[in-house]
Amino acid sequence: MKLIVRTGLVAATALGAVATAVVPASAAVVTDDPRPVAGAHAVVPNPKTIKAAGYNQARSTLAKAGSQTAAKSHPVHGKTDVPVSYGTSLLAAARDEFRQTDKKLPPKDKKSDMSIDHYNAVHSAAKTMGIDTW
């Protein structure tokens, strides 16, 4: 009887040791790097700050495309960098404004629920600031 209990304890201990060794090894395989997916672009995290000149240029691009929000916003001066939230807010406001303006356009003339010109302006402004998600 003691032999059976002892064998069971040894087997349980060995199984626990193997499970402990396997978990960290398998956890090491998981990474936070974006993985490419067919048909999609890799999402790169937004920077923490953006250059004031890039923000001002993006603001100008959006204002020229017809964004009243961008036209009313103030250019950044006296600073070299600004928080990325300045840029993401500007892009989101222009995107929403353009979608509202372009909602009656036929679907063939739209991309992401806005005119192709507005879509290109928003994405050009985002690229200027180095922002991928807004």
Side-chain angles (χ1 to χ4, degrees):
M1 184 72 167
K2 287 183 182 180
L3 181 60
I4 295 172
V5 173
R6 195 176 314 150
T7 305
L9 288 174
V10 169
T13 304
L15 184 59
V18 170
T20 304
V22 171
V23 171
S26 63
V29 174
V30 178
T31 63
D32 289 336
D33 295 334
R35 293 180 183 225
V37 177
H41 68 283
V43 176
V44 179
N46 288 336
K48 296 203 184 301
T49 61
I50 54 177
K51 297 290 181 193
Y55 172 85
N56 289 338
Q57 183 179 352
R59 181 188 154 280
S60 176
T61 299
L62 293 171
K64 286 178 185 175
S67 171
Q68 296 300 312
T69 306
K72 291 177 184 176
S73 67
H74 296 286
V76 175
H77 50 87
K79 296 181 181 182
T80 56
D81 294 332
V82 294
V84 74
S85 63
Y86 284 30
T88 56
S89 295
L90 182 71
L91 291 169
R95 175 200 61 209
D96 295 344
E97 183 180 353
F98 290 153
R99 284 180 176 169
Q100 183 64 31
T101 302
D102 300 336
K103 69 181 176 183
K104 293 184 180 179
L105 286 176
K108 67 178 181 69
D109 295 335
K110 292 194 287 189
K111 189 170 184 179
S112 189
D113 294 330
M114 63 186 103
S115 73
I116 295 170
D117 289 339
H118 285 159
Y119 177 88
N120 290 339
V122 170
H123 284 267
S124 174
K127 186 176 180 180
T128 299
M129 292 185 284
I131 295 175
D132 194 45
T133 55
W134 61 91

